[in-house]
Amino acid sequence: MDEKATQPAPARADDARQVSAIVVMGVAGCGKSAVGEALAEALGAVFVEGDRLHPPENVAQMASGKPLTDQLRAGWLDAIGQRIAASVAGGQSVVAACSALKRSYRDRLRGFCADIVFVYLEVDRETAWQRVGHRKGHFMPASLVDSQFAILEAPAADERALTLDGTGRLSDIVTRTVGLLDGKTS
């Protein structure tokens, strides 16, 4: 998979540690949580695990093998957006893990913090299926992977986003992300 950096709007600062909000996004099994947590640690930022902010009805819906509707996602996206905005308002950088599968979902998050940089972890269907199928203790079954690919809208050229291969080593993905945010890697 190709790695692309799409940043039509210039970054606020050359130092990745001065990017106030990052959302690591992609389909289930792409590595959002692992990359998000490691990236937050590398940047000295707060980490927000989006899955923990799902209301019980969303968890039950997915656990039963039914994909979420846009309506069911709305409150969850707002909860993530509010956590991002609160961290930034408190002077703390934040990295959140959130699927943000559609442009409208990313726009909704931008409503809480306009300067969010999205880090899209691109994986193929087979990789996602394998990873989700091997997870222990997570509410989302592998049967929902296809529904995520069906609605996925990769970030467009006019969005402040980085697209990275999500199949690499965790440390390499984090190093590459920091380098791209710093403007030291093309």
Side-chain angles (χ1 to χ4, degrees):
M1 287 176 208
D2 293 334
E3 292 186 5
K4 304 173 269 297
T6 305
Q7 291 182 301
R12 290 184 336 166
D14 289 335
D15 185 352
R17 285 156 185 79
Q18 292 188 16
V19 173
S20 60
I22 297 168
V23 173
V24 181
M25 61 159 289
V27 297
C30 72
K32 294 180 294 291
S33 297
V35 170
E37 193 167 10
L39 184 59
E41 184 176 328
L43 298 175
V46 170
F47 177 63
V48 174
E49 173 53 76
D51 280 348
R52 292 193 188 124
L53 298 177
H54 273 296
E57 54 271 19
N58 284 13
V59 173
Q61 174 97 356
M62 289 183 282
S64 72
K66 297 176 190 160
L68 296 180
T69 63
D70 288 353
Q71 185 177 4
L72 287 173
R73 289 180 199 269
W76 170 67
L77 291 166
D78 289 349
I80 295 169
Q82 290 164 0
R83 291 282 297 273
I84 291 169
S87 291
V88 172
Q92 179 66 52
S93 296
V94 60
V95 176
C98 172
S99 55
L101 297 171
K102 292 183 179 181
R103 169 106 187 211
S104 62
Y105 303 165
R106 296 187 294 276
D107 289 344
R108 190 174 191 111
L109 292 171
R110 282 188 204 98
F112 291 92
C113 181
D115 290 339
I116 292 174
V117 173
F118 289 90
V119 176
Y120 169 41
L121 299 178
E122 191 174 39
V123 296
D124 59 67
R125 178 190 174 280
E126 292 74 27
T127 299
W129 261 89
Q130 182 181 33
R131 288 178 177 179
V132 174
H134 287 98
R135 290 197 294 206
K136 302 288 185 232
H138 196 278
F139 55 81
M140 185 168 169
S143 62
L144 288 179
V145 168
D146 285 341
S147 70
Q148 294 217 322
F149 276 99
I151 66 168
L152 176 64
E153 299 170 1
D158 65 336
E159 293 185 77
R160 198 166 180 215
L162 307 173
T163 297
L164 297 171
D165 180 349
T167 64
R169 288 182 34 223
L170 176 63
S171 60
D172 293 342
I173 294 170
V174 171
T175 299
R176 177 96 171 121
T177 302
V178 171
L180 288 166
L181 291 168
D182 279 343
K184 295 177 184 167
T185 309
S186 56

